[in-house]
Amino acid sequence: MRTIQLRRYTLVDGEYDAFVDWWQEWMPRVRPAAGFAIEFAYGLPETNEFVWAVSAEGDEEAFLALEREYMASAGRAEAFAGVPQRVAVSTTTFATPFA
């Protein structure tokens, strides 16, 4: 079983390009190193949005346990060190596969 988390961001005005550059530099390194797979990532520059999905083996409880480890990790701390807040609104939910 694999659990998928959908992450939707509305970015701070003027921060779209900087956010995408940062995300492309860091997330493909730190998320997989923490046990996650990046399922997809899409930017919507016209609406200043970024949508992506990350997954991990196990149920939601296992995902959340892995997420807690990731949030406390040195890799994540390094990725976010000195980075200004670029996400104005964030919505994170678990997705249910149908196919």
Side-chain angles (χ1 to χ4, degrees), residues 4-11 16 19-21 23-24 27-28 38-54:
I4 299 173
Q5 185 185 65
L6 180 63
R7 305 176 68 84
R8 305 181 97 190
Y9 304 152
T10 301
L11 303 175
Y16 181 86
F19 174 85
V20 170
D21 289 346
W23 191 95
Q24 289 178 316
M27 290 303 104
I38 296 172
E39 297 293 327
F40 64 81
Y42 292 99
L44 297 92
E46 306 82 28
T47 57
N48 213 31
E49 294 175 278
F50 190 84
V51 180
W52 64 299
V54 63

Side-chain angles (χ1 to χ4, degrees), residues 79-95:
F80 281 84
V83 176
Q85 181 62 35
R86 293 185 173 130
V87 177
V89 178
S90 174
T91 304
T92 305
T93 57
F94 288 107

Side-chain angles (χ1 to χ4, degrees), residues 17-36:
D17 290 335
F19 174 85
V20 170
D21 289 346
W22 170 85
W23 191 95
Q24 289 178 316
E25 177 183 351
W26 286 99
M27 290 303 104
R29 289 191 300 178
V30 297
R31 280 292 186 156
F36 297 96

